[in-house]
Amino acid sequence: MGFLIVVATIPGLVIGLLCGLVPLGVGLRHQQLKWGIVGLVLCALAGFSFSLIGGFIMLVFTTAVVISYAFVDREDPFTSRASIEAVNFEESQLEFLMRQMAALGRTIRQSVRALIRNKAGFLGFIGILFFVGISVFGPLFVEYDGDTHVERLQPGARTLFQKPSSEFILGLDWKGRDIFSHMVHGGQNLIITSIEAGLIATLVAVVVGAMAAMIGGVVDQILSAIANFILTIPQFPLLLVLASILSFSNRFYLALLFAALSWPALMRAVRAQVLSLRERDYVQAAVALDLGLPHIIIREVLPNLMSYIVVNMIFSIRSAMYYIVGLVFLGLVPLEEPDWGVMIYVGRQQGAIFNSDGASMILSPVIAIALFQLSLILFTRSLEEVFNPRLRSGL
Amino acid sequence: MGAIPFRRTDQPVSQPSLWSLSKKLLRSVYRSYIFRVTVQGILTLWVVTTCTFYMIRKMPNNPIEVKIDEFQTKQNLTYEEARSKVAGLFDYDPDAPFIEQYTDYMGNLVQGDLGRSITTGRTPVSQQIAKYLPWTLFAVGLGLLISFVIGMIAGAAMAYWRGTVFDNVMTAFASISYGIPDFVIAFMILLIGGIQLELFQVGDYIGSVDPEIKAGFNPEYIRSLLQHVLLPVTTYVLASVGGWMLTMKSSTISTLGEDYITVAHARGLSQRRILFGYVGRNAMLPLMTRLAISVGFVLSGSIIIEYIFIYPGLGKYLFEMTGKRDYTTIQGIFLVTSAAVVISNILADLLYGVLDPRVRVGSK
Amino acid sequence: MKRYLLLFVAFILVFSVVGTFSTAKPVAKAQDAPSGTFLGTWPYTLPPDHHLNGFDASGLDTNLGVVYRQIVELTPAYYMWATNEYLPMLATEWGFTEDNSAYYIKLREDALWSDGTPITADDVIATYALARITNYFSVFSGGYISDVVKVDDYTVNFVFAGEPSLVAERGILKSSISAAASYGDLPQRALEMIASGAASDSEEWAALKTEITEFRPTQLLASGPYTYTLDDVSDSYMTLHWQPNSIFSGSVKFGEIRLWAGETEATTPLVLSGDIAHSTNVYPPSTQQAFADAGIRLLIMPRMYGPALLFNHDVHPFEVKEVRQAIAYLIDRSENAFLTNGLGATATVYMAGLLDSSVPVLMNQEDIDKLNRYELNRDKAAELLESVGFAKNSDGKWADADGNVIAAEYKFPAEFADFSAAAQNAIDQMNEFGFDITPVATPWQQTAQDIRDGNFELSVWSWASGSPFASRQFFGPIQRFNYVGLTDGQKGMNFPMEFEYNGETINLDQMIKDASNGLDIEVQKQRAGEIALIINDLMPFVPLNVILSTEPWNEDLLSGGPADDDPILQNPSADHFIVLYLLNGTISPAN
């Protein structure tokens, strides 16, 4: 199962509000009411959409931000020069926690600033937020219209397709169902599967790539050979064949399949990057200190690759979506409704291409997918700035 | 690279015998780049062939039943009529042991024989590929060439005038181009241009060529060829030009920052000379490799586009044959496309060596 | 110099005038051919796959199809469904011999092949010899005919292996006759092989069979008024050219037949743009709408099959008759038909396993009256379910005494617009009624395989078929997708075909096989009635609807198309009306 089936729920809202009390409380305590309220709202939203997980993560983040504001202005021993003599260097556990939170908060604030600074990237971010928002909150307001509606047949018409009208703003599909409701309900599955696929592919690529480069020798040769081999087989045709062999009972397997085929490209890049990093002084130093492979990779190598990895993860998500929609389009993936890809497939099958009444059934998802993918690509620019501080000044 | 240190065992020094000479020769052959990549390539292709051989036979159903179903629905025959027409007509025995089928196939393959198509009157697979491959090469190749050239020029210009309105507009365009999947572009062209706005008559632009025009080297035929390839090529170009532009831009920017450019400026070389002789050439280097690799994927990257525009290329044919479960044909197309990737990868390596003298020096 | 130049110019002029005249000559001859082009479509294959062998499935049958092959290679006769009679084509006389031991056809004596040679009994003998070696005709594969004998130059006897049969009659009268001359020495060798008494599983037989199917005729000798060569086949369309020697050459009104390549999707824009005047492809309802909006007439013809809801009888509770009956009651078949193919599908009326149009022909009125029509009645469905221990639970789902709801996966072929629509709508309706049915769309090859393997719970596939005989219409799906019609231990629906019924042990499989044997129509009606009543009662599958062909017919390009009430429109595409109407000149180019 997809591990992220999300729809906004009322209990989630309650959880979110409860979580929001923490930043609000901290804000009140440190006279940062404005940021406290922002925290409350964000926590409520996050809890609303992602329930406990969302609410808790947002709680930590917003509280950190509130604390960072509070401490910059007041008690931070490292930034407020005025009180430097008064600082007691033996900090209590609470103070330690506060300091860590403040650091986290500053990082978040910097990231957000970096995110906003690149206009194109921010636009992409807004776009992603828009689609995620629609998938998460849309179902609350728009009921899914899944039943056949023969009664909506216009007199004299041969099909239930209808052009967009004031009642159905995107028109009706071949079963007389509201296309708008399918747009609202149909993106989630696709977006989640793509994200899963992209995440898994990236994870595999990074782990395998880093391992190959750091261990070297036979391990490296074998892993590289496997990667080269997978890269040689034409991907889409292979997916075509595999998709008809494995009948996917759910989309998660599809994500796995995509990941299995698409990790090698990124893996090779990661491997090359790690190889070059390996020669750097600080890594050599860590090797000399015999700090252990996991430590070296996680603490020394990965942070320097973060920007590269995150950007590639977005690309990976994008191509996962491409392949999934492509396979659905060729009819090789379970046609679970509602789903944007299925709309394209069924619309085409039912002749919507050649009938202007039905064009909306294909055009709507096509445009949505295009916009979403565009948002992803634009978003990478911001991500580059967020994760690669050196870039923050440029472009 | 994790090179294993070569340890010499202490051997008594002896006169060079014929044996050791030939051993030396063999070793130098083994060490030679061409030999190594060829062996690697053949090995890869063998594994690919074996895997696909197994996989495509794992697909549900078989060519005979598929054909019976097709006859029943398309020709309105009863099951028995269809079965009597199809039974035994295919040169394929679904009950033959897998190993036997495999050794038969590999035996032929070693002799350069791709076998015969199962479902289409036993035509040799090589002949099939020869028929459909040129269309794909033409369409995708043209698309690749156009988008590469445009991408080069535009990308370099964007880098040169970076930060200007021109750069911003072009970067936005490139992002859009890069962001939207090719089949979405294809749909938009068909649906918005052809059906909604009726800018063109869809029927005149899909397919391969206007059949009323005799094939040959005459203006009408070439015009018709270009007209029918227009929509797929436009799609390929729109979908891939953005990627080239962005890559070229970043590559040019990094080249502009190199020391030798500064030196060239300092030497007072003309702007023109620096742009074409120094920046352009060096910025293009990484892109040439990418181009060579893309060429390898020309054959396989076009299934959906060909399917949408009903363009008789290899991708659409592969999709059809997958539907018909024509094992030998699927196998042949897989082999050819994989071989193209292997060869273009080797070429990319060689090309890089030729274009960039530093690499030649660097790699012993 | 000037003079020479003048002379030269004059020479050129004279030469070009002569040239025009000499090239004009064949044009003058072709003027005998009618003008105008019939713009049709057929999904043929391209050379090198394309070939002219009539005894290989990838040859003429694939490349001309059952419709256009009949205007190139004529059949002995043409069948009219409405009147159940045959009209003469290549044959003038036909029938059972007096002792009913054989069927005879007598050819027209004036019929010629396109090369001017006469069409004789030897061609028929050759055709059947080749078909016998390849087992290509159903009269051989079905075991109806044991021998084909030349009586005189124009008469051939087909000797029955067992009982005389009307099924065999149709097989004989509907099979195209090929020219012996096109196949070199193969017919002769085939006859020798048959005469030698070699077994059909012997090696020589198999070798000759391979030789026949791999044979590639260089020319297509036509008995019909049109023929073509491989040069006429391009990837966009192929062209059939008029030829003067056919018995129909004088009556046809088109000089050539242009068949555009491609299936539904490729041909849709061409129909809209007027490049195709008539298409035999199947278009989804919204495309039909687009045609109608563009002023293109739609001809409605039977397609002789429709989607059926298939039960796996190994899956509880579908082995329970009442549950199946309840499902038959609860599905609104009119709604289902509309979604399946718009106005091009009709709800099943008689639920007899026979096409509704065939029921009055193939059954007695007395039996028809006994048929349960399963008119939409959800109360009745509920009553039936309650009678076998189901009740609605608190969620509004039907559950048995232990609380198990009626849940199943419904597999359907994703690519088939009509079948997948029928299935999806049936699922919607069943779920609305209180079942828990999950749709599972798979590639159609997978669906077919799964049905054969019995690896499904509910599924959809066709019922009935394009044959006027009861035994053939009953065949699918309860024989085709049931253990009796499958091999290698495949179970299919696993509906038991031998069981107690009304106190008698019956073998439904054998009953269906025998249903159309013999020549006595009344006996056949009796048998069909018995089978239909059993199927009607047990509902081993639910015939949801019958699909109709809606073929675009552009009256700006064609005149003489059949009126909506023309009885010939009762013919399905195996006996397509354009075969007859093209040949006898009813259809002509519109001015």
Side-chain angles (χ1 to χ4, degrees):
Chain A
M1 283 313 280
F3 55 79
L4 273 175
I5 296 301
V6 279
V7 172
T9 54
I10 298 300
L13 180 62
V14 176
I15 293 172
L17 282 170
L18 287 175
C19 290
L21 290 179
V22 176
L24 185 66
V26 176
L28 280 174
R29 161 91 173 66
H30 296 284
Q31 286 148 30
Q32 290 288 337
L33 187 59
K34 187 175 88 180
W35 296 105
I37 291 173
V38 171
L40 175 73
V41 171
L42 284 176
C43 282
L45 279 176
F48 198 19
S49 36
F50 302 101
S51 170
L52 195 58
I53 304 173
F56 183 71
I57 294 176
M58 199 48 89
L59 178 152
V60 174
F61 280 15
T62 49
T63 311
V65 171
V66 171
I67 291 174
S68 77
Y69 273 107
F71 277 58
V72 167
D73 296 331
R74 308 172 93 225
E75 300 163 35
D76 186 358
F78 301 105
T79 46
S80 59
R81 214 172 277 167
S83 56
I84 196 139
E85 297 84 19
V87 169
N88 177 4
F89 282 97
E90 276 176 38
E91 49 183 15
S92 69
Q93 277 197 340
L94 181 70
E95 278 165 343
F96 175 73
L97 181 71
M98 283 301 205
R99 198 160 56 80
Q100 292 289 324
M101 288 291 272
L104 177 64
R106 274 193 301 280
T107 315
I108 292 172
R109 272 162 56 197
Q110 274 169 14
S111 302
V112 171
R113 227 173 286 139
L115 188 73
I116 293 172
R117 186 168 42 229
N118 188 312
K119 288 193 194 88
F122 188 61
L123 202 66
F125 180 69
I126 298 288
I128 294 173
L129 222 54
F130 171 75
F131 283 107
V132 172
I134 282 199
S135 302
V136 171
F137 296 112
L140 282 183
F141 305 105
V142 183
E143 203 185 329
Y144 173 53
D145 184 13
D147 294 333
T148 309
H149 291 286
V150 182
E151 76 281 0
R152 289 181 185 160
L153 185 67
Q154 299 279 318
R158 284 163 187 271
T159 64
L160 292 166
F161 278 122
Q162 263 176 45
K163 281 197 165 80
S165 61
S166 53
E167 191 186 357
F168 305 107
I169 57 168
L170 291 177
L172 297 182
D173 76 356
W174 68 288
K175 279 184 175 177
R177 301 175 300 184
D178 182 8
I179 291 176
F180 180 67
S181 84
H182 281 247
M183 289 306 299
V184 168
H185 289 256
Q188 193 168 87
N189 221 331
L190 181 65
I191 292 174
I192 288 172
T193 316
S194 309
I195 292 176
E196 282 172 353
L199 282 177
I200 300 170
T202 312
L203 194 71
V204 174
V206 169
V207 170
V208 175
M211 262 172 51
M214 293 306 288
I215 301 174
V218 183
V219 176
D220 181 25
Q221 283 181 355
I222 291 175
L223 291 176
S224 297
I226 296 175
N228 281 337
F229 167 68
I230 296 178
L231 278 176
T232 309
I233 314 179
Q235 302 259 303
F236 200 79
L238 185 66
L239 265 178
L240 199 84
V241 171
L242 282 175
S244 40
I245 299 174
L246 315 160
S247 55
F248 301 99
S249 47
N250 72 56
R251 290 287 185 86
F252 183 61
Y253 294 125
L254 192 64
L256 279 183
L257 179 66
F258 171 82
L261 292 181
S262 61
W263 62 268
L266 180 58
M267 174 267 178
R268 286 217 300 200
V270 169
R271 177 178 163 275
Q273 296 271 345
V274 174
L275 278 177
S276 80
L277 278 178
R278 207 176 65 167
E279 305 306 319
R280 305 260 167 96
D281 296 341
Y282 55 91
V283 179
Q284 290 294 341
V287 174
L289 287 171
D290 205 12
L291 283 175
L293 196 59
H295 175 90
I296 296 171
I297 292 180
I298 292 170
R299 299 302 294 271
E300 309 296 339
V301 176
L302 276 190
N304 285 288
L305 281 178
M306 227 28 215
S307 148
Y308 187 78
I309 291 169
V310 170
V311 168
N312 271 286
M313 190 179 76
I314 297 286
F315 286 156
S316 199
I317 292 173
R318 169 179 169 267
S319 65
M321 186 176 265
Y322 174 89
Y323 279 118
I324 292 169
V325 175
L327 285 178
V328 174
F329 173 73
L330 293 175
L332 293 165
V333 167
L335 304 180
E336 284 162 24
E337 288 186 310
D339 183 286
W340 291 349
V342 175
M343 287 173 78
I344 302 179
Y345 176 76
V346 175
R348 194 178 125 100
Q349 187 185 56
Q350 296 292 341
I353 284 198
F354 297 109
N355 187 330
S356 54
D357 287 352
S360 168
M361 185 174 176
I362 297 180
L363 268 184
S364 308
V366 157
I367 291 173
I369 290 170
L371 287 179
F372 185 76
Q373 298 233 335
L374 185 58
S375 304
L376 281 178
I377 295 300
L378 292 178
F379 183 47
T380 56
R381 303 235 210 123
S382 276
L383 282 179
E384 272 171 355
E385 296 207 9
V386 170
F387 286 96
N388 193 348
R390 265 168 293 173
L391 260 179
R392 279 183 201 163
S393 50
L395 278 172
Chain B
M1 293 284 205
I4 301 160
F6 184 66
R7 205 168 281 170
R8 254 170 234 252
T9 47
D10 284 313
Q11 274 181 342
V13 182
S14 62
Q15 293 296 320
S17 67
L18 192 66
W19 167 237
S20 71
L21 264 179
S22 60
K23 229 164 79 176
K24 213 176 235 168
L25 188 71
L26 273 177
R27 189 177 296 155
S28 68
V29 166
Y30 175 73
R31 287 238 177 111
S32 84
Y33 175 76
I34 296 290
F35 176 79
R36 251 185 311 134
V37 290
T38 311
V39 169
Q40 262 174 20
I42 289 173
L43 212 65
T44 315
L45 288 183
W46 173 69
V47 181
V48 170
T49 307
T50 309
C51 287
T52 47
F53 192 90
Y54 178 73
M55 279 188 313
I56 56 180
R57 279 165 179 77
K58 275 273 155 209
M59 290 193 291
N61 226 322
N62 65 55
I64 296 169
E65 287 292 336
V66 167
K67 187 76 179 174
I68 290 177
D69 276 312
E70 182 194 312
F71 262 62
Q72 264 188 295
T73 41
K74 264 197 216 144
Q75 308 226 8
N76 222 336
L77 301 181
T78 63
Y79 180 77
E80 284 174 20
E81 282 164 350
R83 190 168 55 186
S84 66
K85 294 209 162 179
V86 175
L89 282 175
F90 289 163
D91 204 5
Y92 168 71
D93 177 10
D95 300 326
F98 177 78
I99 290 298
E100 194 186 304
Q101 294 183 36
Y102 178 71
T103 43
D104 278 1
Y105 184 82
M106 290 310 282
N108 289 332
L109 191 60
V110 169
Q111 298 162 35
D113 181 2
L114 288 176
R116 283 153 168 255
S117 153
I118 296 174
T119 62
T120 51
R122 301 180 183 80
T123 322
V125 171
S126 47
Q127 216 172 320
Q128 304 272 19
I129 293 175
K131 175 163 172 48
Y132 293 98
L133 182 60
W135 293 106
T136 298
L137 278 183
F138 178 52
V140 188
L142 201 61
L144 188 63
L145 196 72
I146 294 175
S147 59
F148 182 73
V149 171
I150 296 180
M152 285 308 90
I153 297 170
M158 281 153 65
Y160 191 72
W161 287 294
R162 65 181 175 281
T164 62
V165 178
F166 169 79
D167 175 34
N168 288 335
V169 170
M170 292 305 270
T171 308
F173 167 77
S175 301
I176 293 174
S177 150
Y178 189 57
I180 301 180
D182 53 2
F183 56 84
V184 168
I185 295 176
F187 263 129
M188 291 201 176
I189 292 177
L190 264 191
L191 271 171
I192 298 179
I195 308 290
Q196 300 283 342
L197 303 180
E198 294 178 5
L199 294 181
F200 55 89
Q201 191 76 47
V202 175
D204 294 343
Y205 287 86
I206 56 179
S208 62
V209 66
D210 189 342
E212 273 161 83
I213 297 164
K214 277 262 172 284
F217 200 75
N218 56 60
E220 294 98 68
Y221 185 72
I222 294 169
R223 212 194 121 260
S224 172
L225 270 182
L226 292 176
Q227 173 178 336
H228 286 264
V229 87
L230 183 70
L231 295 187
V233 165
T234 310
T235 308
Y236 294 137
V237 170
L238 282 181
S240 59
V241 74
W244 292 117
M245 281 161 68
L246 294 177
T247 321
M248 183 65 186
K249 180 185 166 187
S250 68
S251 176
T252 312
I253 288 178
S254 66
T255 314
L256 283 171
E258 297 276 353
D259 295 340
Y260 56 83
I261 302 294
T262 323
V263 172
H265 276 293
R267 276 168 61 201
L269 292 179
S270 74
Q271 191 73 352
R272 227 182 115 90
R273 178 106 190 263
I274 295 174
L275 268 188
F276 289 96
Y278 289 70
V279 180
R281 197 180 150 181
N282 284 300
M284 269 171 70
L285 275 178
L287 279 89
M288 292 308 289
T289 340
R290 260 188 65 183
L291 179 70
I293 293 172
S294 310
V295 169
F297 286 96
V298 159
L299 307 186
S300 62
S302 51
I303 295 181
I304 303 182
I305 303 302
E306 287 179 358
Y307 187 66
I308 293 174
F309 292 120
I310 312 163
Y311 195 77
L314 205 59
K316 175 166 171 282
Y317 189 62
L318 173 64
F319 181 64
E320 280 165 13
M321 288 299 123
T322 313
K324 288 184 174 173
R325 302 291 187 258
D326 191 326
Y327 300 138
T328 41
T329 309
I330 304 173
Q331 186 79 64
I333 298 179
F334 262 93
L335 188 69
V336 169
T337 43
S338 312
V341 176
V342 168
I343 293 170
S344 67
N345 275 329
I346 297 175
L347 286 182
D349 273 3
L350 293 176
L351 190 69
Y352 205 78
V354 173
L355 288 178
D356 191 349
R358 286 170 298 184
V359 175
R360 249 176 304 168
V361 178
S363 70
K364 31 118 206 186
Chain C
M1 192 66 201
K2 221 173 197 176
R3 204 177 294 165
Y4 282 116
L5 198 68
L6 259 176
L7 202 68
F8 182 69
V9 168
F11 181 74
I12 296 255
L13 271 175
V14 168
F15 193 79
S16 56
V17 167
V18 171
T20 12
F21 272 102
S22 60
T23 50
K25 250 179 200 164
V27 174
K29 200 191 168 206
Q31 270 166 4
D32 300 345
S35 60
T37 303
F38 180 86
L39 302 163
T41 167
W42 181 255
Y44 57 85
T45 57
L46 288 175
D49 303 341
H50 194 118
H51 63 86
L52 305 174
N53 189 332
F55 300 90
D56 183 282
S58 59
L60 292 179
D61 277 320
T62 291
N63 295 317
L64 287 175
V66 72
V67 177
Y68 294 102
R69 187 171 177 190
Q70 293 180 55
I71 61 169
V72 174
E73 289 188 332
L74 297 173
T75 58
Y78 178 85
Y79 184 66
M80 289 289 285
W81 284 64
T83 51
N84 186 20
E85 61 174 358
Y86 290 95
L87 305 178
M89 299 288 269
L90 209 48
T92 51
E93 252 182 75
W94 52 84
F96 293 90
T97 53
E98 263 169 47
D99 59 354
N100 274 346
S101 67
Y103 197 82
Y104 75 94
I105 60 170
K106 199 167 175 357
L107 301 175
R108 268 175 80 148
E109 299 189 9
D110 58 346
L112 301 177
W113 293 110
S114 48
D115 65 352
T117 54
I119 300 171
T120 66
D122 289 326
D123 292 305
V124 180
I125 299 286
T127 299
Y128 277 83
L130 294 172
R132 185 163 180 186
I133 298 291
T134 50
N135 206 24
Y136 198 61
F137 286 0
S138 58
V139 290
F140 293 119
S141 57
Y144 295 106
I145 299 297
S146 61
D147 206 1
V148 183
V149 188
K150 176 177 170 180
V151 177
D152 60 46
D153 274 353
Y154 294 97
T155 313
V156 177
N157 272 2
F158 298 85
V159 182
F160 288 114
E163 265 188 281
S165 157
L166 292 170
V167 179
E169 174 185 48
R170 180 170 158 86
I172 292 164
L173 295 178
K174 284 293 300 166
S175 298
S176 286
I177 305 298
S178 300
S182 297
Y183 291 87
D185 66 344
L186 288 172
Q188 190 52 40
R189 286 167 55 202
L191 284 170
E192 281 161 15
M193 176 78 66
I194 295 163
S196 75
S200 58
D201 53 2
S202 65
E203 249 173 60
E204 314 93 87
W205 188 293
L208 184 57
K209 176 177 173 174
T210 310
E211 219 179 309
I212 294 171
T213 51
E214 293 193 349
F215 183 74
R216 296 289 174 262
T218 49
Q219 52 166 350
L220 177 56
L221 286 182
S223 50
Y226 300 100
T227 187
Y228 76 107
T229 65
L230 292 182
D231 292 336
D232 296 319
V233 182
S234 79
D235 55 6
S236 296
Y237 57 69
M238 60 184 280
T239 311
L240 308 178
H241 297 284
W242 181 84
Q243 60 96 3
N245 291 325
S246 167
I247 42 178
F248 292 106
S249 294
S251 54
V252 292
K253 299 281 178 12
F254 291 93
E256 53 181 39
I257 311 274
R258 174 182 299 172
L259 300 177
W260 286 84
E263 310 264 6
T264 303
E265 186 131 6
T267 55
T268 304
L270 298 171
V271 174
L272 284 169
S273 66
D275 286 310
I276 291 175
H278 166 249
S279 168
T280 45
N281 286 337
V282 177
Y283 298 95
S286 72
T287 306
Q288 296 168 20
Q289 173 88 59
F291 290 161
D293 292 347
I296 297 166
R297 192 181 154 200
L298 293 164
L299 296 175
I300 298 195
M301 277 171 279
R303 218 191 290 167
M304 311 299 282
Y305 68 81
L309 192 168
L310 308 187
F311 299 105
N312 186 340
H313 292 256
D314 283 344
V315 173
H316 183 72
F318 304 123
E319 82 285 7
V320 181
K321 178 175 91 174
E322 285 77 8
V323 173
R324 300 195 299 265
Q325 288 176 333
I327 290 172
Y329 273 115
L330 73 88
I331 294 175
D332 181 349
R333 297 194 295 277
S334 308
E335 179 183 313
N336 193 274
F338 182 76
L339 281 151
T340 301
N341 197 27
L343 302 179
T346 51
T348 319
V349 177
Y350 293 113
M351 307 290 276
L354 296 173
L355 290 165
D356 293 329
S357 56
S358 305
V359 164
V361 185
L362 296 174
M363 287 171 66
N364 292 317
Q365 192 55 44
E366 190 190 332
D367 288 332
I368 297 175
D369 293 339
K370 287 186 206 158
L371 290 170
N372 179 354
R373 298 192 180 184
Y374 293 94
E375 276 154 20
L376 177 64
N377 187 343
R378 301 209 162 117
D379 296 337
K380 177 80 180 165
E383 207 175 286
L384 278 163
L385 286 177
E386 278 156 6
S387 75
V388 286
F390 288 94
K392 270 203 170 180
N393 67 14
S394 51
D395 301 338
K397 300 275 181 201
W398 287 93
D400 63 12
D402 302 331
N404 301 318
V405 294
I406 299 182
E409 282 190 345
Y410 194 136
K411 275 190 183 155
F412 58 90
E415 298 93 326
F416 297 167
D418 42 11
F419 283 11
S420 77
Q424 289 177 55
N425 176 257
I427 294 168
D428 290 349
Q429 295 201 34
M430 285 192 278
N431 283 340
E432 203 177 315
F433 184 74
F435 291 179
D436 197 359
I437 312 291
T438 320
V440 179
T442 53
W444 73 265
Q445 296 94 340
Q446 167 96 51
T447 316
Q449 179 79 46
D450 283 344
I451 295 175
R452 282 195 293 269
D453 290 343
N455 180 21
F456 72 103
E457 294 175 337
L458 295 173
S459 191
V460 62
W461 212 265
S462 64
W463 67 284
S465 74
S467 163
F469 298 104
S471 74
R472 297 301 175 86
Q473 290 198 9
F474 283 130
F475 179 79
I478 55 169
Q479 285 177 318
R480 182 182 171 204
F481 285 128
N482 202 357
Y483 68 97
V484 288
L486 296 167
T487 49
D488 304 334
Q490 293 172 319
K491 285 182 174 170
M493 303 161 64
N494 215 16
F495 170 69
M497 296 292 268
E498 273 181 82
F499 48 89
E500 289 278 313
Y501 192 76
N502 290 345
E504 273 178 76
T505 305
I506 58 166
N507 183 339
L508 195 58
D509 186 43
Q510 200 55 48
M511 287 170 73
I512 292 174
K513 279 182 181 152
D514 295 341
S516 303
N517 283 0
L519 303 179
D520 189 335
I521 302 288
E522 284 312 312
V523 172
Q524 292 184 13
K525 279 186 171 183
Q526 194 64 41
R527 293 184 196 137
E530 266 176 62
I531 300 165
L533 284 169
I534 296 172
I535 291 177
N536 182 254
D537 177 34
L538 297 181
M539 272 292 118
F541 60 92
V542 180
L544 293 170
N545 58 61
V546 183
I547 300 177
L548 301 166
S549 289
T550 40
E551 300 186 350
W553 182 266
N554 192 330
E555 294 193 320
D556 293 341
L557 301 166
L558 298 166
S559 64
D564 285 337
D565 56 354
D566 189 329
I568 202 167
L569 284 180
Q570 290 177 31
N571 281 9
S573 65
D575 306 279
H576 204 288
F577 79 87
I578 58 169
V579 174
L580 185 68
Y581 279 10
L582 269 178
L583 291 177
N584 69 15
T586 310
I587 308 171
S588 60
N591 312 325

